[in-house]
Amino acid sequence: MSEPVMEYAEALTKFDPVMGLEVHVELNTASKMFCGCSTAFGAEPNTQTCPVCLGLPGSMPVVNGAAVESAIRIGLALHCEIADWCRFARKNYFYPDMPKNYQISQYDEPIAFDGWLEVELDDGTPFRIEIERAHMEEDTGKSTHVGGATGRIHGADHSLLDYNRCGVPLIEVVTRPITGAGERAPEVARAYVAALRELIKALGVSEARMEQGNLRCDANLSLRRTPTDEFGTRSETKNVNSLRSVEGAVRYEITRQAARLSAGDRVVQETRMWHEDSQITTPGRSKETAEDYRYFPEPDLVPVAPSREWVEQLRATLPEAPGVRRKRLQGEWGFSEAEMTDVANADALGVLEQTVQAGCTPAAARKWWLGELSRRANEAGIGVAELAITPAQVAAVQALVDDGTVNDKLARQVIDGVLAGEGEPADVVAGRGLAVVSDERALSAAVDEAIAANPGVADKIRAGKVQAAGALIGAVMKQMKGQADAARVRELILEKLS
């Protein structure tokens, strides 16, 4: 049941919002954080487990070196200090998807700390987010609740547990309290998660697909009467898995908490669940404090002590900052802010850049990836980069258009063939017989037939209404299944009717 809420504008006149964002990043290592089990997505339930990730007695964890490397690179990209020495801790709690009844994490000794990330809001305003820490930990298993109407535990008949994800390496990036955002707090939250996702993808350490849970956000929010008051009691909306939902959850919690406080009620410190369908949050469980988890150093793992030489070697591998890269490419390509925003929203910057590097013009690359290919990706429920066509092949399709081998309409059929696995674009053109017909005799005969079939249109052209030629061009193109050279057809029509 939804709770009373206050109008958003009114809530901001009475209260100052304070946020804290915790983003969990699932690393794309081949094996888990403390064992050799596969991390491949989509396997049959409970087929990627072993005594270590199941927490069986006598099993001993071993730290995944690739995960440590990814953690350091994330920390460096977030301008963090990298610890000379850090260690893991046991975070003790009981939940069915955590078979050991504790999670191996980091508590007061994280691998990366004291960083920041500057994000850009919708109108170009910069906003700096202070990062408290980025620490390593393992993921939990996955619970599937069966028999209820919502897929949640409340109302379910029973629950199923899949431990394949248990032990997958995570990096948790935790901000310091975010103040000063005011009415733009929801926008700031969305912009931060979007910027962090872009950074993680640029580093190549995670797929960062929110819909698959590779990256998910816990949004903490509290309200206070004035910016000088102490922080209020916070709620934590757990596992928010889209940018739109991050913004919506923060906005809703502002209106919900404002209504409670204005009515003289208190805000309960608890976790809450976000409902995409109704755009509300509902209570989960009481929120524990750090003391409740009874943290203590993990006795089965030695500390991690990255050398300064290794840290500096990893610093040298960092890619160009996503924001800097985007501005550079925008200038090189001559795109407007709106055009570049569309590219970023479609997550197509990488494939566009590679298509341009393969010889395509920026405008043509944008036309294909944000038009035809984006439509096909949406229909398939995947990202454009996951389509079975490479940037080099898209550039080759455009080259066929440029040299007159095919027109735009035929080029779409070429793309069909490439996606269907029929070979390179030139192979598809040959195999499907898609080349534009430029043969003068064939074109002339088709034009004569169109003129004879449309005497009224022909008379208009003879009378000087040249724009009427479009109807005859269309007739010829239909007759020749779209494979006529439209420019030459127009010339022939005007020559014959002049």
Side-chain angles (χ1 to χ4, degrees):
M1 179 182 293
S2 62
E3 298 182 41
V5 296
M6 179 181 290
E7 286 292 329
Y8 185 74
E10 182 183 359
L12 269 297
T13 65
K14 296 183 176 182
F15 299 99
D16 178 53
V18 178
M19 294 186 296
L21 302 173
E22 303 169 11
V23 176
H24 295 80
V25 179
E26 185 179 283
L27 300 180
N28 58 5
T29 54
S31 58
K32 294 185 179 181
M33 188 73 213
F34 302 112
C35 68
C37 290
S38 171
T39 59
F41 182 79
E44 286 295 313
N46 297 306
T47 58
Q48 297 175 171
T49 60
C50 73
V52 174
C53 54
L54 291 177
L56 299 185
S59 60
M60 296 291 285
V62 177
V63 175
N64 185 326
V68 175
E69 178 176 312
S70 293
I72 294 173
R73 295 182 74 228
I74 289 173
L76 291 172
L78 292 171
H79 309 95
C80 288
E81 296 291 327
I82 304 300
D84 295 317
W85 184 96
C86 65
R87 59 183 172 180
F88 288 95
R90 288 189 181 181
K91 181 180 182 181
N92 296 274
Y93 65 97
F94 171 77
Y95 203 75
D97 62 12
M98 178 53 67
K100 298 191 292 286
N101 292 339
Y102 64 84
Q103 178 187 29
I104 301 178
S105 181
Q106 291 188 307
Y107 174 47
D108 55 348
E109 298 167 306
I111 193 166
F113 56 92
D114 290 348
W116 56 270
L117 180 63
E118 187 169 274
V119 305
E120 189 174 286
L121 304 185
D122 292 342
D123 62 359
T125 302
F127 195 100
R128 178 163 160 146
I129 308 290
E130 300 294 332
I131 306 296
E132 181 177 303
R133 68 182 186 272
H135 66 258
M136 298 180 286
E137 62 184 22
E138 59 179 336
D139 208 347
T140 60
K142 180 181 179 182
S143 300
T144 301
H145 307 297
V146 182
T150 64
R152 298 185 181 275
I153 192 169
H154 299 293
D157 295 329
H158 61 281
S159 298
L160 301 175
L161 295 172
D162 178 8
Y163 289 119
N164 282 351
R165 195 178 69 186
C166 192
V168 167
L170 292 180
I171 303 299
E172 182 175 353
V173 182
V174 182
T175 70
R176 288 201 168 91
I178 302 170
T179 61
E183 64 181 9
R184 305 188 77 172
E187 181 188 351
V188 168
R190 170 175 52 80
Y192 167 72
V193 177
L196 183 58
R197 183 184 66 170
E198 187 178 30
L199 179 64
I200 294 298
K201 293 188 72 171
L203 291 169
V205 298
S206 172
E207 300 304 316
R209 295 190 60 172
M210 298 186 75
E211 73 279 5
Q212 287 188 1
N214 302 141
L215 188 147
R216 49 195 191 267
C217 177
D218 297 342
N220 294 268
L221 186 112
S222 66
L223 297 180
R224 54 184 176 176
R225 293 285 179 179
T226 73
T228 58
D229 289 345
E230 293 184 1
F231 295 160
T233 302
R234 65 187 171 92
S235 66
E236 181 181 19
T237 305
K238 297 285 289 184
N239 295 325
V240 188
N241 65 353
S242 76
L243 299 180
R244 178 174 176 266
S245 295
V246 169
E247 183 172 17
V250 170
R251 187 181 184 91
Y252 176 80
E253 277 300 292
I254 289 174
T255 63
R256 183 189 71 87
Q257 293 188 23
R260 290 189 65 87
L261 294 172
S262 295
D265 296 328
R266 67 183 183 90
V267 173
V268 178
Q269 182 166 312
E270 62 186 356
T271 63
R272 297 183 67 87
M273 302 296 113
W274 171 250
H275 300 269
E276 183 63 37
D277 54 351
S278 55
Q279 297 284 295
I280 66 171
T281 66
T282 56
R285 56 181 170 81
S286 297
K287 178 62 179 173
E288 295 89 347
T289 63
E291 289 76 15
D292 295 322
Y293 290 121
R294 295 177 292 114
Y295 283 100
F296 64 86
E298 168 57 66
D300 293 336
L301 290 170
V302 298
V304 176
S307 69
R308 292 302 92 184
E309 292 77 14
W310 186 34
V311 171
E312 292 310 310
Q313 288 171 6
L314 293 178
R315 192 190 303 275
T317 70
L318 297 182
E320 184 179 19
V324 174
R325 175 184 174 221
R326 191 166 55 251
K327 290 293 185 185
R328 174 178 61 79
L329 291 175
Q330 180 180 346
E332 291 178 2
W333 295 345
F335 284 4
S336 67
E337 283 287 347
E339 288 173 332
M340 207 63 180
T341 297
D342 288 343
V343 171
N345 290 342
D347 204 12
L349 187 63
V351 290
L352 238 74
E353 183 178 21
Q354 294 172 49
T355 306
V356 172
Q357 289 171 348
C360 189
T361 66
R366 180 178 178 275
K367 175 192 71 176
W368 288 118
W369 285 109
L370 269 64
E372 185 70 15
L373 293 170
S374 181
R375 179 182 64 79
R376 292 168 187 262
N378 288 337
E379 290 173 352
I382 59 177
V384 288
E386 297 174 81
L387 288 168
I389 186 169
T390 67
Q393 288 171 327
V394 174
V397 170
Q398 183 58 40
L400 293 171
V401 174
D402 292 339
D403 66 18
T405 301
V406 296
N407 53 35
D408 272 7
K409 183 177 180 180
L410 294 172
R412 290 177 174 84
Q413 295 182 51
V414 176
I415 289 173
D416 281 336
V418 174
L419 292 173
E422 297 173 19
E424 294 299 311
D427 300 327
V428 175
V429 171
R432 293 193 176 194
L434 295 177
V436 166
V437 176
S438 299
D439 178 77
E440 285 288 312
R441 293 177 63 183
L443 292 179
S444 182
V447 168
D448 288 341
E449 187 174 331
I451 291 172
N454 298 275
V457 176
D459 288 341
K460 289 181 181 179
I461 298 171
R462 291 189 182 97
K465 294 182 179 179
V466 178
Q467 64 271 25
L472 295 184
I473 295 172
V476 173
M477 296 299 287
K478 182 177 181 180
Q479 178 185 342
M480 303 191 75
K481 299 180 180 180
Q483 291 180 245
D485 182 340
R488 184 55 184 150
V489 168
R490 177 183 173 82
E491 291 173 357
L492 288 172
I493 290 170
L494 296 181
E495 287 174 9
K496 292 174 180 290
L497 298 176
S498 61

